[in-house]
Amino acid sequence: MKHGLITVAAAVPAVKVADVEYNVLEMEKLIANAEGEGVELICFPEMAITGYSCQDLFKEQLLLTKAEEGLMMLLDFTRKLNIICVVGMPVQAGGLLLNCAAVIQSGSLLGLVPKTYLPNYNEFYEKRWFASAQDLNPTDLYIAGTHILLSAEPKVFQTVDGVKFGVEICEDVWAPLPPSNNLTMAGADIILNCSASDELIGKHNYLRSLVSQQSARTISGYVYASCGFGESTQDVVYGGNAMIFENGHLLAEGERFSLQPQMQVTQIDVERLRTERHTNSTFINAQREAKAVVVECKAVELPEFKMLRSVNPRPFIPQDAEMAATCEEILNIQTAGLAKRLVHTNCQHVVVGISGGLDSTLALLVCVRTFDKLGLDRKGIVGVTMPGFGTTDRTHDNATTLMQTLNISQMEISIAKAVTQHFEDIGHDMKKHDVTYENSQARERTQILMDLANQLNAMVVGTGDLSELALGWATYNGDHMSMYGVNASIPKTLIQYLIRYVAGLPQFKAQNETLLDIIDTPISPELTPADEHGNIKQKTEDLVGPYELHDFFLYYFLRFGFRPSKIFFLARHAFGEKYDKETIKKWLTTFCRRFFNQQFKRSCLPDGPKVGSVSLSPRGDWRMPSDASSALWLKECEAL
């Protein structure tokens, strides 16, 4: 495991029913390939050593003896390997025959896990051949030259680097109380399921959903391997399902009905799962009564780590297939939040500063949707443009066009005269374009909006977004302040997609061209004069860094509490050649420094609706001392 990632595999080998030697040799091929790919943990199907569909042949002593010999072959084959293998096989224990999973590593049998729930319906009659783990008394067992105390007691296996995993078998996960419930509550990070599930119309989707939900419910990695081609098709067909989930999300899935052996390899982020668990009070409460025996795996030299899983460079952005539905849901959350606040305050007017940029555009669109939903006249929305020293024709024209076509009330109030007078009052040189020069303009605009709200018995709707809050890219008591911030939990990268979605709706056809141009406009506070051609000179991303990087950093820092070294590692894989190592390091350092230094602005945020899994509200999601030291994080950034 490196950076909290462990490489796992779900394997579906070629099989011949009751031909143990053939089956073992086929598994050895996959084990060798897996070892070569750096796999640390591999799961094979139920009864992989004999084949699942042996039926009454499971009563034959020759087959059972050969199954034990097959286990010995695997132990011998893995003697010089580090990989941990979980393999299904029949095991005799006194007067019982058990459906078990054998856990083996480096020539050692670490343990046997008997199946708990045996199907005895339709085409499955396992109780005809096997006993349940519930029927098992602790039994001293000598198998494949190894002494094992075989019992029904839950077992959690622990690797040399601390990863914990448990095993359940096929039907176990279909039960009302799967063994994986207790195993994960007792500390197992990953569940491996040796399975044999036949294919029926509609069953696969149910199975996929079932495994996904169990992974999500237990906040675990889940490796599922089910037998495939080669099993008997006398009455049913086995499709060879190979699936790997992480907290409900599908990481890898094999081809069903393949006539060839297959192996799905990916990496499960154990550190991510553990972060989810220790911040989930429901999970913490549920684990109080969980118990399991911990079985230590062998101390081995870990394989060289190779990153196998893909990393989404834009974690806040929904997948294409979900884009429209997700955008609509986000807008509905924003709309519902603002609607409640307006109804509660009996307010029928809002004031919004419109700059022609992304944030104010989204805020205005939310106001329009809210007024339409409440049946209020759009003229109650007062859009205010406040041109200053850096306002360009492009943003000004887009702002005014947008307000006109949306049929809202429109005001224009230049801040130049008031700010110039203010500079004279405080003795500031207007040629000095410093923080005083910039922030005075932002505070003047906020003063205008607040005073208009008082005058019109209205509410100031804030426009600032999540990315700006994380970086502190807002003027304290300037654009930092409002009466309700509808964009408070929406990152900058997502705002572009939301506006593009709205631009494509039939009811906003008249605003389409303007909205698309706003998306294409460079992000800027426009607080310093434009260049000689009247174009935006002050570009935010030149000053604080690319928002797509900062949103990436923000997601993993807040959502999972990852340290800078892991965020850096993930960013390098996510962005490939787009940003070199030094660029990522530079802006990650900037992010950590600004995030800590600017907490005081987040400690007194206006109300605003939470939209996704990440929020910086000081009343709920993020509570941090404003004077916390960033030294640990910056030191790690320096060492990257």
Side-chain angles (χ1 to χ4, degrees), residues 301-331:
E301 182 180 346
L302 296 175
E304 180 182 353
F305 183 84
K306 299 175 183 177
M307 185 66 168
L308 300 177
R309 61 189 275 169
S310 61
V311 182
N312 183 359
R314 295 195 167 187
F316 287 110
I317 308 304
Q319 300 299 313
D320 289 344
E322 304 166 350
M323 182 67 72
T326 303
C327 287
E328 184 64 26
E329 186 168 18
I330 291 169
L331 290 164

Side-chain angles (χ1 to χ4, degrees), residues 1-2 4-11 30 33-43 83-84 163 190-192 215 220-225 242-254 262-270 272-273 303-312 569-570:
M1 181 173 72
K2 187 174 182 180
L5 297 161
I6 181 172
T7 307
V8 299
L30 292 176
N33 289 340
E35 176 84 4
E37 291 187 36
V39 173
E40 300 164 71
L41 189 57
I42 186 171
C43 181
I83 189 171
I84 300 170
V163 178
I190 299 170
I191 297 297
L192 295 95
S215 169
S220 66
Y222 204 105
V223 183
Y224 181 94
M243 300 180 289
I244 303 174
F245 289 86
E246 178 185 283
N247 195 16
H249 299 286
L250 181 66
L251 300 181
E253 184 174 25
Q262 60 176 313
M263 180 172 65
Q264 294 300 308
V265 179
T266 189
Q267 284 152 342
I268 292 173
D269 194 332
V270 173
R272 181 172 179 165
L273 292 169
E304 180 182 353
F305 183 84
K306 299 175 183 177
M307 185 66 168
L308 300 177
R309 61 189 275 169
S310 61
V311 182
N312 183 359
F569 169 78
L570 293 174

Side-chain angles (χ1 to χ4, degrees), residues 365-415:
L365 294 173
V366 170
C367 289
V368 168
R369 287 171 60 105
T370 304
F371 271 60
D372 290 351
K373 194 175 187 71
L374 291 174
L376 299 176
D377 187 345
R378 287 189 185 181
K379 289 297 182 180
I381 303 171
V382 182
V384 187
T385 53
M386 295 167 284
F389 306 126
T391 302
T392 61
D393 290 341
R394 181 178 184 180
T395 56
H396 178 268
D397 292 346
N398 280 338
T400 54
T401 301
L402 187 62
M403 290 187 287
Q404 289 168 1
T405 57
L406 287 172
N407 195 32
I408 68 169
S409 297
Q410 182 178 346
M411 296 181 69
E412 181 166 315
I413 302 172
S414 172
I415 64 169

